[in-house]
Amino acid sequence: MEHVIAEYLKEHRTENLNQLKEWLAIPSISALPEHNDDIQRGAQWIADHLEKIGMENVKVYETDGHPVVYGDWLKAEGKPTALIYGHYDVQPVDPVELWHSPPFKAEVRDEKLYARGASDDKGQVFMHLKVLEAILKTRGTLPMNFKFCIEGEEEIGSANLPKFIEENTELLSADVIVISDTGMLDRGKPAICYGLRGLAALQIDVKGANSDLHSGLYGGAVQNALHAITEILASFRDGDGRILVDGFYENVQEMTPAEKEAFAALNMSEETLKQQLEVNELFGEKGYTHVEQTWVRPTLEVNGIWGGFQGEGIKTVLPNEAHAKISCRLVPNQQPDEIVEKLKRHIAGHTPPGVEVSVKLFDKGAPYVTPLEHPAIQAGARAYEKVYGVPTAFTRGGGSIPIVATFDDLLKLPVVLMGFGLSTENFHAPNEHFHLENFDKGMETLAHYWYELEEALQKEELINK
């Protein structure tokens, strides 16, 4: 069955690429107001294409920001439903002079498609449409039900999508969410990301005297704001990298033996990492490998610190203000609001005399994980292996995609991050590109996946009954 679909995709490859180039030509940059009309055009293009391939109930929903595009196909009675999420907005292209071809005039070189959005995320969203079109054209029906939610604000934080999801939970109800906006481990090495860390970020502002003071006249008698803030920052961790904030590890979900085994199987060398980064040693929480430290353990990092005289030479002052930005990466079952409150208490309890401290909150997002053994995850692994011919790696991302946790929180559904990009493809940078090898193999993988997933979810339902 999947062979017929693969042949159809091969026969229509040139046509499909030309259609993708049309979409990539629309500069749907969400961060720049001068491209608001282009955002509307980008949304309408994908809505029109959803209708063209046979999706129904297609609608461009206006929000307080950029539109959300919805479409569905719900004719597989009694079968499970997949919600496919993606985004049609793209990053700015600056510095444009570093591009080797115009960013919005897609060009194929060395079997790579160059354009802004080629990999992140128009190319990967487009693959989903073409696979469902191929199945409908060759089989006349789909193996399960499908819904699409394609937004235009992912690159600026998805500010309005949570409200849209909350107001449309019935519309978006499904059995699983599938997102192709992540990467493979390496070329020829597919990976399923089944978890992401959350985020809590804040700024610490320390205020001392009413102005900077002469260090000769006041030094030794008045608190120095820089000394005060470094004392606070130093109190966050011990020499082994363990975070000393009271209750910080209270709810941390530990790795399962299966996860530990899966991570070890990746054989990711610490020596290679040190060479790449040109550091003589790695540093992190004792008792965990660097993979475990960055995927399944929480962190607290100082992202910036400033205050006092910054110019050349010396200016002998006691700074009356100092500032620092910190961020915590969180793991299940840590909650951002709870962590922020613990951080505030810790800061208050470690503020030295002679200064006042205030805290300003920034980005936050909950962590998420879909159990490694979930049928939707394992079905994805089997689909990758059929096409790429190697075992699928199971990874957890060290970074954060807050909207994934929002889906998890509001819709209570397993999320499968099933991407086909590579870390070398310059997304968010000049000369973004997408390897057409993964464009082709990725669509073949998705064709296998929908049949694998339907069977796996049907079995799960029978077992649960």
Side-chain angles (χ1 to χ4, degrees), residues 89-375:
D89 65 319
V90 299
Q91 283 279 326
V93 296
D94 297 336
V96 70
E97 66 272 12
L98 297 183
W99 286 79
H100 298 153
S101 56
F104 295 108
K105 187 177 180 181
E107 183 178 300
V108 175
R109 301 193 300 272
D110 301 321
E111 277 300 284
K112 301 170 189 172
L113 179 66
Y114 285 83
R116 173 60 87 226
S119 178
D120 179 23
D121 179 40
K122 287 180 177 177
Q124 298 200 58
V125 169
F126 185 76
M127 290 163 62
H128 280 283
L129 274 66
K130 293 292 100 177
V131 169
L132 296 191
E133 179 186 50
I135 297 174
L136 281 170
K137 291 290 187 182
T138 56
R139 310 307 304 169
T141 189
L142 298 177
M144 52 191 291
N145 299 296
F146 290 91
K147 296 179 178 181
F148 283 88
C149 177
I150 306 173
E151 69 154 321
E153 295 185 327
E154 194 275 344
E155 299 292 7
I156 53 173
S158 301
N160 292 289
L161 190 59
K163 180 182 177 184
F164 177 81
I165 297 171
E166 198 162 6
E167 292 176 349
N168 294 279
T169 53
E170 185 66 29
L171 181 73
L172 301 174
S173 63
D175 296 286
V176 63
I177 299 171
V178 177
I179 301 174
S180 296
D181 192 16
T182 52
M184 299 176 25
L185 202 60
D186 202 346
R187 187 172 181 181
K189 296 181 179 179
I192 290 181
C193 180
Y194 66 96
L196 294 166
R197 292 194 290 190
L199 178 67
L202 53 84
Q203 178 173 313
I204 306 170
D205 298 305
V206 172
K207 179 73 167 62
N210 57 7
S211 69
D212 287 353
L213 301 174
H214 190 292
S215 66
L217 296 176
Y218 296 97
V222 178
Q223 182 65 269
N224 182 319
L226 275 172
H227 283 293
I229 203 165
T230 53
E231 187 175 328
I232 293 169
L233 297 177
S235 73
F236 282 130
R237 298 195 318 195
D238 67 16
D240 291 328
R242 185 167 178 83
I243 297 162
L244 301 176
V245 175
D246 189 37
F248 189 84
Y249 295 101
E250 205 167 65
N251 299 314
V252 169
Q253 181 178 302
E254 298 293 335
M255 286 181 294
T256 66
E259 286 178 310
K260 197 169 182 66
E261 185 179 331
F263 298 161
L266 298 176
N267 292 318
M268 296 175 72
S269 166
E270 294 194 357
E271 285 302 318
T272 300
L273 181 60
K274 285 193 287 187
Q275 291 172 15
Q276 289 174 346
L277 301 179
E278 298 182 8
V279 296
N280 56 14
E281 290 294 340
L282 299 180
F283 175 82
E285 187 183 0
K286 297 293 184 185
Y288 299 92
T289 68
H290 77 287
V291 172
E292 294 165 352
Q293 289 164 348
T294 54
W295 288 359
V296 300
R297 298 299 295 170
T299 66
L300 188 157
E301 298 288 350
V302 178
N303 307 123
I305 180 171
W306 69 99
F309 180 63
Q310 305 292 315
E312 290 186 27
I314 186 73
K315 183 180 181 184
T316 54
V317 296
L318 271 66
N320 73 319
E321 289 186 9
H323 314 270
K325 295 180 189 289
I326 66 171
S327 64
C328 297
R329 298 291 177 172
L330 310 178
V331 300
N333 296 307
Q334 291 179 305
Q335 296 302 317
D337 290 337
E338 292 179 8
I339 291 298
V340 165
E341 289 306 311
K342 290 173 181 178
L343 291 172
K344 286 180 176 179
R345 286 196 295 271
H346 181 92
I347 292 166
H350 290 79
T351 296
V355 293
E356 295 179 353
V357 174
S358 60
V359 170
K360 183 187 300 180
L361 304 184
F362 289 118
D363 296 354
K364 65 178 181 180
Y368 113 92
V369 66
T370 296
L372 183 61
E373 66 277 5
H374 193 284

Side-chain angles (χ1 to χ4, degrees), residues 15-23 45 49 52 130:
E15 178 187 346
N16 289 343
L17 280 175
N18 287 337
Q19 291 172 353
L20 176 55
K21 288 178 181 179
E22 287 180 15
W23 197 25
W45 192 96
H49 212 75
K52 181 179 177 181
K130 293 292 100 177

Side-chain angles (χ1 to χ4, degrees), residues 396-461:
R396 280 170 66 168
S400 307
I401 307 178
I403 198 59
V404 172
T406 301
F407 273 123
D408 181 45
D409 181 48
L410 296 177
L411 299 181
K412 312 296 182 188
L413 299 176
V415 181
V416 182
L417 295 171
M418 198 170 175
F420 301 94
L422 296 176
S423 61
T424 57
E425 289 178 336
N426 288 18
F427 40 85
H428 293 209
N431 302 306
E432 178 181 348
H433 57 279
F434 191 26
H435 284 68
L436 293 182
E437 172 189 15
N438 292 326
F439 179 75
D440 297 328
K441 287 187 173 181
M443 287 192 289
E444 190 177 347
T445 299
L446 290 171
H448 283 288
Y449 180 57
W450 299 128
Y451 288 95
E452 289 277 353
L453 180 62
E454 186 274 330
E455 184 178 349
L457 292 180
Q458 293 281 49
K459 284 182 179 176
E460 176 78 1
E461 186 176 325

